[in-house]
Amino acid sequence: MTVPLEDYALIGDGETVALVSKHGSVDWLCLPRFDSPACCAALLGDKRHGFWRLAPEGEVLERRQSYRPDTMVLDTEFRCEAGTLVVTDFMPQREGRPLLVRIVRAVAGNVGFVSRAAFRFDYGNMPPWIVPEGTGLAMHVGPDKLALHADAPLEIEDDVVVSRLLLAEGESRAFVLAYGRSNEIVGDGIDAEAALRDAEDEGRRWIARLGNDGLAYPQAVRRSLLTLKTLIHRPTGGLVAAPTTSLPEQPGGTMNWDYRYCWLRDAAFTLDAFVECGFIEEARDWRDWILRAVAGAPEKMQIMYRVDGSRRLDEAELPWLPGYRFAKPVRVGNAAAGQLQLDVWGELMSALHIAERAGMERTTQGRHLEHAVVDHVARVWTHPDQGLWESRGEPRHYVYSKAMAWVVLDRFLNGRGAEELSTERHAELHALRDHMHATICAEGFDAGLDTFTSFYGGAEVDASLLLLPKIGFLPMSDARMAGTLRAIEAQLVEGGFVRRHRMEALVPEGAFLACSFWLAECLLGVGRRADAVETIEAVIGVAGGTGLLSEEYDTRSRRLAGNHPQALSHLALIQAVLALKRFDDGKRGNDADL
């Protein structure tokens, strides 16, 4: 049976992740990195497509899943008639090869458990050849090998590696899964209990750097930061949008995309959140990843890249996988990488501007890029594009895209790059920036509807318009933004949750969680603190028991939807809470002045 997304938790080692269900099953695992083929793909199918379940034998009366405080170490607790069993899952920070460690412990009573490991390579398509190796069993297909080691007996039953044991109260057993190349001996080489202590210490040391005291919802912010850290590819600094592919945005629909890549659109949001929270090193790593990916040719910039900065994301379908809740097709790769989306140049320039304000030294490459991006956007800003939501239909003149093109010139003229201009060029760019702003307001705002519209000449609104104040295009005090907020609340908001655009389909896509946090920031901008808090709390309230947020929330079924967990959702949560703190600090300052 399909497991709800809120019943999955995330563990990772800074290069890949595993999703572990409340049933004790690893149902998604890509090795050796985020965008590698999965060897556990039951998330998008069933047990035929790869899983590793470790749970009590017999009936389970109650399940509970939680992270150890301020860590990515996961405990899944099973209460049975015979007692209580806890499975502790984590992935040690990688030193050589990927490891997944599972420690099972009887904390009350004498409890029997069973481990069933059915790894299937190539996204569930290929069963491995299983042979004894050292103290464990090795499973290999083509270039890939997994080795499972345990201080418990391992047997092979119909291509499944099985271990059964009765644990006395206080007794534990450790299982270590290691990945390597098929022509190598893959040993475990690890003290599981020592690695567990190291994993806890590492997480707590890292989050202790949080440099913004007095935040509301501190646990949600800390969990979001830890989740984002887990989604950063440690060797390169790239942040993946989500660690999964093809989790549907629309129940049973075809809006199933691969998000295991790095979107430039997340650049400014990520830098802003990390800088304000005091994680300057991670912000600098992300800035440097962006510079390496874009190189010296902004006209050839893609909207997304692989975690190492490579450009090939050819899209393909995997017909042997039935899909999550039977939503097909299952896709790998993402054809949207080749789209024209004007807003990404604004994201790049905004990210460089944030880095500059945070005290990061401008690089020679960064200076070159700033000038080259300005020249390029001056040539192309009038072109239609696919927009923030990556439409696969007809290109249009999307308002948010145009506003982000304006951001390119605005940030450049307010940064150190402007000091390198001649007087004539400075005046020319000032005039172009003002012309862009005036054109967007004239073409993008419909006075009869009293709102900005999704695209020039349209009559619909979309949630990207909530970002216009955030990017500094217009303040919320502007009457045009007030009208836009009214239109979005009337057309897109349902119970505090915001849809990206109005859906007339019989089965609409879910509400987009990041947009709901953007709404909260706009509500703060017009002084509606109580409504903003209600919105923030509504979204935090739909996170699973482990505090993870997907891309969307289906208000009908009251389930999370879309790829899980979603970096942008957690970034938007952090930014909304930071905006609430700034609002409260400003109000206290005004009260003190009185």
Side-chain angles (χ1 to χ4, degrees), residues 182-466:
S182 60
N183 59 338
E184 301 172 341
I185 299 296
V186 182
D188 58 344
I190 187 173
D191 179 332
E193 293 291 347
L196 173 59
R197 292 190 294 272
D198 289 344
E200 290 186 277
D201 290 344
E202 194 274 334
R204 289 170 182 152
R205 280 196 307 270
W206 187 84
I207 200 63
R209 293 162 49 198
L210 177 59
N212 209 317
D213 297 328
L215 290 174
Y217 317 106
Q219 293 307 313
V221 171
R222 295 166 85 86
R223 180 52 51 197
S224 291
L225 285 166
L226 285 162
T227 301
L228 291 169
K229 178 181 183 291
T230 307
L231 297 179
I232 294 172
H233 186 244
R234 189 164 54 93
T236 64
L239 173 74
V240 296
T244 55
T245 179
S246 300
L247 294 179
E249 299 174 17
Q250 186 180 49
T254 59
M255 298 171 64
N256 316 321
W257 315 114
D258 193 346
Y259 276 20
R260 297 171 299 155
Y261 309 113
C262 303
W263 263 254
L264 287 187
R265 180 167 295 116
D266 295 342
F269 294 130
T270 305
L271 273 165
D272 192 41
F274 279 161
V275 166
E276 193 162 354
C277 290
F279 293 92
I280 303 299
E281 181 182 341
E282 287 73 15
R284 182 181 289 107
D285 287 346
W286 178 227
R287 190 276 308 264
D288 292 346
W289 180 92
I290 295 167
L291 291 175
R292 290 195 302 273
V294 177
E299 71 278 4
K300 296 182 179 180
M301 193 167 79
Q302 297 184 174
I303 68 165
M304 73 182 89
Y305 299 83
R306 292 188 179 275
V307 293
D308 59 2
S310 57
R311 304 168 62 87
R312 299 300 175 195
L313 288 83
D314 298 336
E315 191 172 296
E317 297 180 3
L318 307 181
W320 60 87
L321 284 172
Y324 182 81
R325 297 193 69 190
F326 308 100
K328 298 189 76 168
V330 171
R331 294 183 173 94
V332 294
N334 200 313
Q339 289 184 350
L340 173 63
Q341 296 177 24
L342 289 172
D343 65 290
V344 295
W345 285 285
E347 298 290 355
L348 171 62
M349 189 65 77
S350 185
L352 294 176
H353 186 67
I354 292 167
E356 180 183 310
R357 286 193 292 109
M360 297 182 205
E361 183 180 353
R362 292 174 76 220
T363 67
T364 301
Q365 183 191 0
R367 286 194 293 272
H368 166 79
L369 270 179
E370 289 177 6
H371 289 271
V373 168
V374 167
D375 292 342
H376 180 68
V377 169
R379 292 191 297 269
V380 304
W381 78 275
T382 57
H383 295 181
D385 75 331
Q386 306 304 137
L388 173 69
W389 307 126
E390 301 176 357
S391 165
R392 298 202 176 192
E394 175 188 356
R396 296 185 182 275
H397 295 279
Y398 289 99
V399 169
Y400 178 71
S401 295
K402 304 299 185 187
M404 287 303 293
W406 170 87
V407 162
V408 170
L409 273 74
D410 182 73
R411 301 302 189 270
F412 181 75
L413 290 171
N414 284 290
R416 290 176 57 191
E419 301 170 3
E420 301 159 0
L421 298 173
S422 67
T423 302
E424 294 77 10
R425 181 60 170 162
H426 200 280
E428 180 185 331
L429 292 181
H430 260 286
L432 177 57
R433 180 185 64 176
D434 293 346
H435 170 67
M436 292 168 73
H437 197 281
T439 301
I440 296 164
C441 290
E443 299 292 347
F445 183 78
D446 190 304
L449 297 173
D450 191 29
T451 181
F452 279 98
T453 56
S454 179
F455 51 86
Y456 291 177
E460 301 289 334
V461 294
D462 80 86
S464 69
L465 301 173
L466 293 168

